[in-house]
Amino acid sequence: KAGVTQTPRYLIKTRGQQVTLSCSPISGHRSVSWYQQTPGQGLQFLFEYFSETQRNKGNFPGRFSGRQFSNSRSEMNVSTLELGDSALYLCASRPTSPLREGYTFGSGTRLTVV
Amino acid sequence: AQTVTQSQPEMSVQEAETVTLSCTYDTSESDYYLFWYKQPPSRQMILVIRQEAYKQQNATENRFSVNFQKAAKSFSLKISDSQLGDAAMYFCAYRTAYSGAGSYQLTFGKGTKLSVIP
């Protein structure tokens, strides 16, 4: 059974550019979440999607957006990149039930903004 | 809002010995889930163990076990017979059991870096 796949693994962008990260969840998982990981702030919740609907969004500016497609694949977009957006972006998926199941994470996309 | 605190930024253990990582959390909810995740240098977060708050029995997965003290809001991880492959960042995480909005995000602690000494 394939795990959570995130592409690309590494990305270097210039300030002011925009970027799109992709996440393919485990087959059958309809819930997808995104997290930003930085040395200073740790792991912070970005968004959660279920069946193409955003269920919740973390405390991030509007430059951060996301979406989920009918096949449960998800993308997140960051516009007008800032140096502080440099981070590891992790995607995770979870089965609808049972609720006690934990999220399975991908290996992340390392974004560097220069 | 829930918070998770890991008070030990770094810890070390001799190979084959036992180590305990601490985690405390704050919540007003009575039903929730607690998790320990491991993040090796490969970056992928790996689920180590899970505890349901309504269960009094402490969860165990092979060499990994937890000490769940609900009243004290404490959730420590014990690693027995430590192996070199256990070296990683360990994160404690909280998740609600009931969400009207259908959102089940994880709230993480800052992590504990575990080193295993040969």
Side-chain angles (χ1 to χ4, degrees), chain A residues 30-32 49-55 68-70 72 96:
Chain A
R30 292 158 60 192
S31 178
V32 174
Y49 287 91
F50 181 80
S51 292
E52 301 179 68
T53 301
Q54 186 179 92
R55 292 298 182 95
Q68 185 181 34
F69 302 95
S70 58
S72 294
T96 305

Side-chain angles (χ1 to χ4, degrees), chain A residues 40-90:
Chain A
Q41 298 298 318
L43 284 146
Q44 293 186 286
F45 169 73
L46 279 160
F47 330 94
E48 180 174 5
Y49 287 91
F50 181 80
S51 292
E52 301 179 68
T53 301
Q54 186 179 92
R55 292 298 182 95
N56 200 1
K57 182 176 180 180
N59 188 24
F60 280 83
R63 301 184 296 105
F64 290 80
S65 62
R67 58 178 175 169
Q68 185 181 34
F69 302 95
S70 58
N71 62 357
S72 294
R73 189 176 71 85
S74 178
E75 289 181 348
M76 67 164 281
N77 184 277
V78 187
S79 63
T80 319
L81 283 166
E82 300 177 359
L83 295 178
D85 297 333
S86 295
L88 179 66
Y89 290 88
L90 292 165

Side-chain angles (χ1 to χ4, degrees), chain B residues 1-111:
Chain B
Q2 295 80 22
T3 59
V4 177
T5 302
Q6 293 179 249
S7 59
Q8 306 151 315
E10 295 189 32
M11 290 196 73
S12 62
V13 62
Q14 291 284 147
E15 198 175 0
E17 296 296 308
T18 296
V19 65
T20 299
L21 309 184
S22 301
C23 172
T24 58
Y25 57 95
D26 188 25
T27 183
S28 59
E29 299 177 331
S30 60
D31 203 6
Y32 46 86
Y33 300 94
L34 295 166
F35 304 88
W36 278 99
Y37 280 90
K38 168 186 176 181
Q39 188 179 39
S42 66
R43 308 179 332 198
Q44 185 169 13
M45 300 277 282
I46 301 165
L47 179 62
V48 174
I49 199 164
R50 169 187 59 227
Q51 176 77 43
E52 291 131 297
Y54 67 86
K55 289 187 175 180
Q56 292 187 345
Q57 186 174 7
N58 289 323
T60 299
E61 289 286 344
N62 301 313
R63 299 183 295 107
F64 299 87
S65 61
V66 299
N67 183 3
F68 173 50
Q69 301 289 327
K70 190 172 184 179
K73 296 180 182 175
S74 171
F75 182 59
S76 61
L77 174 70
K78 186 172 82 171
I79 306 174
S80 304
D81 185 26
S82 296
Q83 300 175 1
L84 295 177
D86 295 333
M89 284 291 291
Y90 285 82
F91 293 94
C92 178
Y94 172 102
R95 195 185 79 200
T96 185
Y98 301 106
S99 170
S103 174
Y104 296 97
Q105 71 199 68
L106 292 166
T107 300
F108 287 92
K110 293 289 189 184

Side-chain angles (χ1 to χ4, degrees), chain A residues 17-31:
Chain A
Q17 288 186 313
Q18 75 165 24
V19 67
T20 300
L21 312 182
S22 179
C23 171
S24 293
I26 289 174
S27 178
H29 287 191
R30 292 158 60 192
S31 178

